[in-house]
Amino acid sequence: MKVEFAPLSLPLERRLQTASVAQWVFSFLALGLCCAALFIYLFFTRFWLISVLYTAWWLIDRETPYKGGRRSHIMRNSVVWRHMRDYFPVKLVKTMELDPRKNYLLGFHPHGVLAAGAFVNFCTEASGFSNLFPGITPHVMTLPMWFRLPFFRDYLMSAGLVPSDKESASHVLRWPEGGNLLTIVVGGAQEALDAQPGSFILLLRKRKGFIRLAIEHGTPLVPVFSFGENELFEQVSNPRGSWLRRLQYQLQQIMGISLPLFHARGIFQYSFGLVPYRRPICTVVGKPIPVQRKHNPSEEDVDQLHEKYLEELSKLFEDHKAKYNIPEDKHLEFI
């Protein structure tokens, strides 16, 4: 394999951008485990009191992630995320206004390998979310298991992340004054296994839990498509039915997370590594779909709204794909 090394004379700005993206990638791959290891290690050092005090705080604070979390404006406005935005670059596009007197449930597609667009646009202020949607507070759902890791849970909450369960979602969507936006990456970790360049496969045909949630709370649904999300990494070939895909499914059932075998470029060379390619991401926020509230919606109610959501998402994709160099014959595939 031929390895191409990055020139040492790269501008400082370019190096900072690459470093910020590498920090983000490795934080989600290793930071959680490192935080847990540090927590245990401190018990066996003279700094054991730090872990003891944190344990007490953890018990007192254990319900916070399920009550909307605890965001940090300093964290969300960090210069690191602006460097990360400029690396790809990432852009957030508004097509309609969102009323700050209402709560919204936003469906983000596709997941990609690491949902970079969802993180930059809704977990940070790098792309100017608050300026585009004044009066709206974004929350992004992720796996509850991450909130069981000491220290790491606080890092996640500071960015506006909350656990992906009904209790957490209901707390955000019930906010009486409105102004909350709950982002769900609907395809989840399983959809990451289909995240290949040029792929427009969405694991959505049978995903209806978020639809029922929207009806129960009378929350408008907002479809979002992130163009370029699947272009950031290559994956080892894993077609459906292959031994690798079956193994990945089995590991997901055991661990709760999928394990796509992805690669892209390195920090100091362009040929191989875990740092994503420098390819633009443009996250387009569609128009809200009005939802009539029903305490106990029927299957027919859910199915009707689900079909409406698929139609609006497809329309959003078709209306904007030409701007992002998507071939005319490419369409969304729902499975």
Side-chain angles (χ1 to χ4, degrees):
M1 177 180 67
K2 181 181 178 181
V3 176
E4 299 178 14
F5 288 91
L8 294 177
S9 59
L10 275 178
L12 176 61
E13 185 72 16
R14 179 71 63 83
R15 282 179 280 167
L16 287 172
Q17 291 168 7
T18 305
S20 66
V21 172
Q23 172 191 326
W24 168 72
V25 171
F26 290 107
S27 72
F28 276 89
L29 292 176
L31 184 57
L33 295 177
C34 289
C35 286
L38 175 63
F39 175 76
I40 296 171
Y41 171 74
L42 289 176
F43 270 116
F44 300 96
T45 70
R46 59 178 177 170
F47 302 107
W48 58 269
L49 187 59
I50 295 175
S51 289
V52 171
L53 292 175
Y54 185 85
T55 300
W57 162 250
W58 193 357
L59 292 173
I60 295 170
D61 193 55
R62 62 185 180 277
E63 294 299 319
T64 299
Y66 301 92
K67 304 298 181 184
R70 182 177 52 250
R71 67 188 53 240
S72 164
H73 293 290
I74 295 175
M75 176 67 174
R76 288 178 57 85
N77 286 281
S78 171
V79 67
V80 171
W81 310 131
R82 295 198 291 275
H83 286 309
M84 181 176 171
R85 172 202 64 197
D86 295 338
Y87 171 87
F88 294 102
V90 179
K91 184 179 180 181
L92 182 62
V93 176
K94 177 177 72 173
T95 61
M96 295 286 287
E97 296 289 342
L98 297 183
D99 186 349
R101 294 169 298 180
K102 297 180 181 179
N103 297 315
Y104 294 91
L105 198 162
L106 185 150
F108 182 93
H109 313 272
H111 184 286
V113 171
L114 293 176
F119 182 83
V120 174
N121 288 310
F122 304 114
C123 294
T124 82
E125 290 295 332
S127 57
F129 179 90
S130 293
N131 291 328
L132 285 172
F133 301 103
I136 302 292
T137 302
H139 303 262
V140 179
M141 304 197 87
T142 190
L143 293 173
M145 62 174 287
W146 298 122
F147 294 90
R148 301 188 187 106
L149 297 175
F151 305 125
F152 192 59
R153 67 190 289 275
D154 301 279
Y155 169 70
L156 295 179
M157 284 193 291
S158 69
L161 288 151
V162 295
S164 55
D165 66 10
K166 191 169 184 179
E167 176 190 355
S168 178
S170 294
H171 181 87
V172 173
L173 298 179
R174 281 199 307 258
W175 195 251
E177 299 174 2
N180 274 347
L181 183 145
L182 181 66
T183 299
I184 299 178
V185 186
V186 180
Q190 190 174 339
E191 190 177 83
L193 300 177
D194 288 309
Q196 298 274 10
S199 172
F200 300 101
I201 298 173
L202 299 182
L203 191 62
L204 188 54
R205 183 64 67 183
K206 296 181 180 180
R207 297 286 173 105
K208 300 180 181 180
F210 74 108
I211 299 290
R212 183 176 294 276
L213 188 66
I215 297 175
E216 289 174 351
H217 292 85
T219 306
L221 282 164
V222 183
V224 170
F225 194 86
S226 192
F227 292 91
E229 196 74 44
N230 283 343
E231 309 301 315
L232 306 185
F233 296 95
E234 304 281 351
Q235 266 198 76
V236 174
S237 180
N238 61 341
R240 294 175 181 277
S242 66
W243 69 268
L244 178 56
R245 181 62 73 96
R246 290 196 297 269
L247 177 61
Q248 288 171 322
Y249 279 153
Q250 290 172 359
L251 290 174
Q252 182 187 354
Q253 305 254 331
I254 297 170
M255 303 172 63
I257 57 174
S258 64
L259 296 172
L261 298 180
F262 62 90
H263 62 88
R265 52 161 288 188
I267 298 176
F268 302 110
Q269 45 78 26
Y270 300 137
S271 300
F272 189 83
L274 297 179
V275 178
Y277 294 121
R278 296 177 63 96
R279 293 172 180 169
I281 301 171
C282 191
T283 303
V284 182
V285 180
K287 68 177 182 180
I289 303 169
V291 176
Q292 182 179 358
R293 184 176 184 179
K294 290 187 178 181
H295 179 66
N296 189 22
S298 66
E299 290 299 324
E300 183 180 359
D301 294 328
V302 173
D303 290 343
Q304 286 180 355
L305 183 57
H306 187 257
E307 284 302 316
K308 176 66 174 176
Y309 182 85
L310 296 184
E311 290 173 9
E312 291 296 327
L313 180 60
S314 294
K315 186 176 184 301
L316 180 69
F317 177 81
E318 297 295 331
D319 288 348
H320 292 271
K321 68 181 183 181
K323 302 174 188 176
Y324 306 110
N325 301 315
I326 308 298
E328 183 63 32
D329 62 347
K330 289 287 187 178
H331 308 284
L332 295 183
E333 180 183 349
F334 301 123
I335 58 173

